Amino acid sequence: MAEESIDENGSSSSSSSSKGKKKKTKFGMMMSSVGRSAKQGMSRAGKQMAKGVVKTKQLAVEKIAKIPISQEDPEVISALERLKITKNEIYAISDIVRNLYEARLNEATFLIQLADKLKDTKITQNDPFGLYIQKMGIAMTSLESIQSEHLKRMEEELVLPLEKFRDIDIEQVQKLKLKYKNCKTQYDVACHKLTKAQDSQDQNKIQQAQQKKDAVAANLQQLRNDIKFQVNNLEQKKQVNLLGCMEQYWTSYASFAQAQSNVLSKNTIQKESYIQPQQQQQQQQQQQQNNDD
């Protein structure tokens, strides 16, 4: 796509006016978008598998050993609930935004084709239809330039920031959550083994089980602290950094809408009247007669 900017009148400037380059770039953007979507799909599948492994391990331990589940830290429960809400919201919004962006890329490609076709309309005598759609094509070319710039901004200010927040920031905390869940299971197992050792009254087993429980408990407490810190940090990034991107995009969207309105107002098309062949012939004869007189 050529580098373009939208001015306050809705006109655009371009460093390259080559039609072929514009089409090629749009195709490249679409292919890049398809590749990114496929990569994200594979990444999500891997994350779901990792999550499933941890959950299966927890269920297996509970079912086979009938291990009592220790009480969760209320602050951790609250943090994990906030993480879940943020994750579900951002994943849903990000997917919709990506689909919308790809649909608009596709629409822009057809808009270029339509504008070119309408502009190339051959005008014949007494052809108000041809005149009208030719002017439509000229206006559509200006609209397409504005839309190309808007799509560039949409990707930079909305699509990519959402996906970066989702794939890096949220997933980093998600990995920590899985690590915490796994450690919590280990802690419950260690507590259960200590209880069994105490029942056996074997001091050697009791000592080993107690040391194991203390070690896992220390690790678990560290992970609890990390979870609470990272969820708070994630919320701050959402409320400051991501919100800033959303605000920037909304400003760009307002400029895009205004630029479109300016183009349409400057390209108002007046429909010419069609003269039926018989009426046209009569007018020509009348004009010829007037000339003869």
Side-chain angles (χ1 to χ4, degrees), residues 178-220:
L178 294 179
K179 190 175 180 181
Y180 165 76
K181 291 286 186 181
N182 188 46
C183 186
K184 176 66 166 53
T185 300
Q186 292 176 8
Y187 175 75
D188 291 338
V189 171
C191 289
H192 181 66
K193 287 184 176 179
L194 177 59
T195 300
K196 290 182 67 177
Q198 290 171 340
D199 291 341
S200 70
Q201 297 183 349
D202 186 325
Q203 293 302 315
N204 188 37
K205 286 184 179 180
I206 292 174
Q207 184 179 7
Q208 290 179 354
Q210 185 66 55
Q211 290 174 347
K212 176 66 176 177
K213 178 192 170 183
D214 292 343
V216 176
N219 191 25
L220 180 62

XYZ file of all heavy atoms in Angstrom, residues 178-220:
342
model
N -1.336 -21.781 35.609
C -1.195 -23.233 35.477
C -0.096 -23.768 36.403
O -0.227 -24.842 36.995
C -0.888 -23.600 34.020
C -1.999 -23.329 32.997
C -1.541 -23.731 31.601
C -3.271 -24.103 33.361
N 0.983 -22.990 36.507
C 2.073 -23.383 37.400
C 1.591 -23.398 38.850
O 1.931 -24.294 39.630
C 3.233 -22.398 37.225
C 4.525 -22.815 37.913
C 5.643 -21.828 37.574
C 6.940 -22.242 38.256
N 8.026 -21.273 37.956
N 0.787 -22.406 39.202
C 0.220 -22.337 40.548
C -0.717 -23.513 40.819
O -0.658 -24.136 41.893
C -0.532 -21.015 40.725
C -1.437 -21.005 41.933
C -0.922 -20.863 43.218
C -2.817 -21.173 41.789
C -1.750 -20.879 44.331
C -3.652 -21.187 42.887
C -3.126 -21.048 44.158
O -3.948 -21.069 45.253
N -1.574 -23.831 39.859
C -2.521 -24.942 40.021
C -1.775 -26.255 40.222
O -2.169 -27.104 41.050
C -3.433 -25.043 38.790
C -4.411 -23.904 38.626
C -5.552 -23.994 39.614
C -6.611 -22.948 39.375
N -7.715 -23.018 40.363
N -0.709 -26.424 39.471
C 0.085 -27.644 39.587
C 0.753 -27.727 40.958
O 0.778 -28.789 41.602
C 1.140 -27.671 38.481
C 1.873 -29.000 38.404
O 1.256 -30.070 38.435
N 3.188 -28.948 38.308
N 1.272 -26.584 41.429
C 1.920 -26.545 42.738
C 0.889 -26.775 43.850
O 1.186 -27.432 44.859
C 2.624 -25.202 42.931
S 3.604 -25.094 44.440
N -0.299 -26.232 43.661
C -1.370 -26.417 44.647
C -1.708 -27.909 44.772
O -1.941 -28.429 45.881
C -2.612 -25.628 44.197
C -3.842 -25.800 45.079
C -3.637 -25.222 46.465
C -4.952 -25.095 47.227
N -5.739 -26.316 47.308
N -1.738 -28.614 43.660
C -1.993 -30.064 43.688
C -0.870 -30.792 44.438
O -1.122 -31.686 45.242
C -2.098 -30.610 42.255
O -3.177 -29.956 41.580
C -2.348 -32.115 42.256
N 0.379 -30.367 44.162
C 1.520 -30.981 44.855
C 1.431 -30.735 46.361
O 1.765 -31.619 47.169
C 2.826 -30.400 44.305
C 3.124 -30.779 42.865
C 4.379 -30.102 42.343
O 5.108 -29.454 43.105
N 4.624 -30.231 41.047
N 0.983 -29.550 46.723
C 0.848 -29.217 48.144
C -0.216 -30.097 48.804
O 0.000 -30.607 49.921
C 0.484 -27.743 48.298
C 0.216 -27.337 49.735
C 1.258 -27.167 50.635
C -1.094 -27.137 50.187
C 1.017 -26.798 51.959
C -1.338 -26.779 51.499
C -0.290 -26.613 52.385
O -0.536 -26.267 53.696
N -1.347 -30.279 48.156
C -2.410 -31.116 48.703
C -1.937 -32.564 48.864
O -2.264 -33.243 49.845
C -3.650 -31.066 47.801
C -4.319 -29.697 47.847
O -4.112 -28.966 48.824
O -5.050 -29.359 46.885
N -1.153 -33.024 47.878
C -0.595 -34.383 47.964
C 0.375 -34.476 49.148
O 0.362 -35.454 49.913
C 0.124 -34.759 46.648
C 0.901 -36.069 46.819
C -0.871 -34.889 45.509
N 1.207 -33.447 49.311
C 2.184 -33.437 50.406
C 1.473 -33.429 51.762
O 1.902 -34.119 52.700
C 3.093 -32.218 50.271
N 0.386 -32.670 51.858
C -0.388 -32.641 53.113
C -0.996 -34.015 53.398
O -1.016 -34.485 54.548
C -1.500 -31.591 53.023
S -0.909 -29.889 53.063
N -1.478 -34.654 52.356
C -2.087 -35.975 52.507
C -1.042 -37.010 52.951
O -1.316 -37.848 53.837
C -2.728 -36.392 51.186
C -3.406 -37.721 51.236
N -4.530 -37.973 52.003
C -3.112 -38.908 50.618
C -4.901 -39.228 51.849
N -4.061 -39.822 51.012
N 0.139 -36.935 52.364
C 1.199 -37.881 52.730
C 1.660 -37.646 54.171
O 2.013 -38.605 54.874
C 2.368 -37.746 51.753
C 2.078 -38.321 50.376
C 3.315 -38.258 49.476
C 3.038 -38.919 48.135
N 4.229 -38.849 47.233
N 1.670 -36.404 54.599
C 2.054 -36.113 55.973
C 1.023 -36.692 56.947
O 1.399 -37.270 57.987
C 2.170 -34.596 56.180
C 2.489 -34.142 57.612
C 3.824 -34.730 58.095
C 2.513 -32.618 57.700
N -0.238 -36.578 56.601
C -1.292 -37.144 57.460
C -1.133 -38.655 57.574
O -1.268 -39.237 58.672
C -2.678 -36.804 56.879
O -2.816 -35.375 56.829
C -3.778 -37.382 57.742
N -0.858 -39.307 56.434
C -0.666 -40.762 56.449
C 0.570 -41.148 57.260
O 0.568 -42.163 57.980
C -0.545 -41.280 55.013
C -1.841 -41.215 54.218
C -1.692 -41.790 52.817
C -1.450 -43.283 52.867
N -1.371 -43.883 51.500
N 1.622 -40.350 57.153
C 2.849 -40.626 57.907
C 2.593 -40.481 59.410
O 3.089 -41.274 60.220
C 3.962 -39.690 57.461
N 1.808 -39.482 59.762
C 1.465 -39.275 61.178
C 0.620 -40.427 61.708
O 0.774 -40.845 62.872
C 0.731 -37.940 61.341
C 1.632 -36.731 61.135
C 0.864 -35.420 61.081
O -0.344 -35.423 60.824
N 1.567 -34.310 61.309
N -0.229 -40.967 60.856
C -1.048 -42.116 61.255
C -0.178 -43.349 61.502
O -0.494 -44.182 62.367
C -2.089 -42.440 60.178
C -3.163 -41.364 60.091
O -3.308 -40.589 61.058
O -3.858 -41.292 59.054
N 0.925 -43.448 60.750
C 1.817 -44.612 60.910
C 2.725 -44.480 62.132
O 3.345 -45.455 62.560
C 2.687 -44.780 59.657
O 3.641 -43.726 59.568
N 2.829 -43.226 62.639
C 3.679 -42.926 63.809
C 5.144 -43.266 63.573
O 5.904 -43.496 64.507
C 3.156 -43.647 65.051
C 1.764 -43.202 65.462
C 1.295 -43.873 66.744
O 1.928 -44.815 67.226
N 0.206 -43.381 67.322
N 5.533 -43.301 62.292
C 6.931 -43.527 61.928
C 7.614 -42.155 61.861
O 7.349 -41.359 60.955
C 7.002 -44.230 60.564
C 8.423 -44.621 60.193
O 9.357 -43.872 60.536
O 8.602 -45.658 59.514
N 8.493 -41.873 62.823
C 9.089 -40.551 62.925
C 9.922 -40.179 61.696
O 9.979 -39.011 61.293
C 9.966 -40.461 64.190
C 9.166 -40.533 65.477
C 8.116 -39.423 65.553
O 8.410 -38.265 65.246
N 6.905 -39.776 65.965
N 10.575 -41.176 61.112
C 11.387 -40.925 59.917
C 10.502 -40.478 58.754
O 10.795 -39.509 58.045
C 12.173 -42.183 59.543
C 13.176 -41.900 58.427
O 13.779 -40.833 58.393
N 13.333 -42.855 57.523
N 9.369 -41.176 58.564
C 8.429 -40.823 57.489
C 7.774 -39.466 57.764
O 7.565 -38.677 56.853
C 7.356 -41.909 57.367
C 7.827 -43.207 56.731
C 6.660 -44.179 56.575
C 7.118 -45.471 55.907
N 5.986 -46.429 55.746
N 7.479 -39.243 59.034
C 6.857 -37.963 59.400
C 7.802 -36.803 59.091
O 7.387 -35.774 58.535
C 6.469 -37.957 60.897
C 5.331 -38.961 61.155
C 6.051 -36.556 61.341
C 4.991 -39.121 62.627
N 9.071 -36.977 59.423
C 10.044 -35.916 59.190
C 10.208 -35.636 57.697
O 10.227 -34.473 57.270
C 11.390 -36.311 59.807
C 12.445 -35.204 59.685
C 13.778 -35.602 60.316
O 13.958 -36.744 60.732
N 14.701 -34.649 60.388
N 10.313 -36.701 56.895
C 10.471 -36.526 55.445
C 9.232 -35.867 54.835
O 9.342 -34.974 53.981
C 10.732 -37.890 54.785
C 12.098 -38.478 55.115
C 12.307 -39.836 54.464
O 11.397 -40.411 53.856
N 13.519 -40.365 54.595
N 8.057 -36.317 55.284
C 6.812 -35.758 54.750
C 6.655 -34.297 55.150
O 6.177 -33.470 54.360
C 5.621 -36.578 55.254
N 7.073 -33.973 56.374
C 6.978 -32.587 56.843
C 7.915 -31.673 56.052
O 7.541 -30.555 55.681
C 7.336 -32.522 58.333
C 7.146 -31.133 58.954
C 5.692 -30.705 58.996
O 4.841 -31.409 59.530
N 5.405 -29.535 58.411
N 9.122 -32.143 55.783
C 10.075 -31.357 54.992
C 9.554 -31.127 53.570
O 9.693 -30.031 53.021
C 11.436 -32.076 54.955
C 12.170 -32.075 56.300
C 13.440 -32.907 56.266
O 13.682 -33.681 55.331
N 14.265 -32.767 57.316
N 8.954 -32.172 53.005
C 8.398 -32.062 51.653
C 7.251 -31.044 51.632
O 7.179 -30.186 50.743
C 7.896 -33.429 51.187
C 7.205 -33.430 49.830
C 8.168 -33.078 48.704
C 7.496 -33.189 47.349
N 8.391 -32.788 46.244
N 6.394 -31.132 52.627
C 5.256 -30.203 52.709
C 5.744 -28.767 52.885
O 5.223 -27.842 52.228
C 4.346 -30.582 53.879
C 3.167 -29.623 54.051
C 2.441 -29.821 55.367
C 1.449 -28.707 55.630
N 0.775 -28.817 56.931
N 6.739 -28.551 53.742
C 7.250 -27.200 53.986
C 7.863 -26.599 52.717
O 7.690 -25.415 52.424
C 8.295 -27.221 55.102
C 7.678 -27.554 56.461
O 6.436 -27.444 56.588
O 8.430 -27.930 57.382
N 8.593 -27.444 51.967
C 9.234 -26.974 50.732
C 8.181 -26.574 49.694
O 8.280 -25.517 49.058
C 10.151 -28.061 50.170
N 7.170 -27.419 49.534
C 6.103 -27.131 48.562
C 5.293 -25.926 49.022
O 4.878 -25.092 48.211
C 5.190 -28.366 48.364
C 4.038 -28.037 47.425
C 5.982 -29.534 47.811
N 5.062 -25.811 50.341
C 4.293 -24.688 50.883
C 4.990 -23.353 50.606
O 4.341 -22.355 50.271
C 4.083 -24.870 52.383
N 6.320 -23.354 50.728
C 7.086 -22.126 50.457
C 6.966 -21.734 48.988
O 6.786 -20.559 48.637
C 8.548 -22.334 50.842
N 7.062 -22.732 48.128
C 6.932 -22.490 46.689
C 5.525 -22.003 46.344
O 5.334 -21.086 45.540
C 7.257 -23.777 45.924
C 7.394 -23.532 44.434
O 7.709 -22.424 44.010
N 7.149 -24.562 43.637
N 4.542 -22.615 46.986
C 3.148 -22.246 46.747
C 2.882 -20.808 47.183
O 2.195 -20.054 46.475
C 2.216 -23.204 47.498
C 0.710 -22.940 47.339
C 0.282 -23.081 45.882
C -0.090 -23.899 48.222
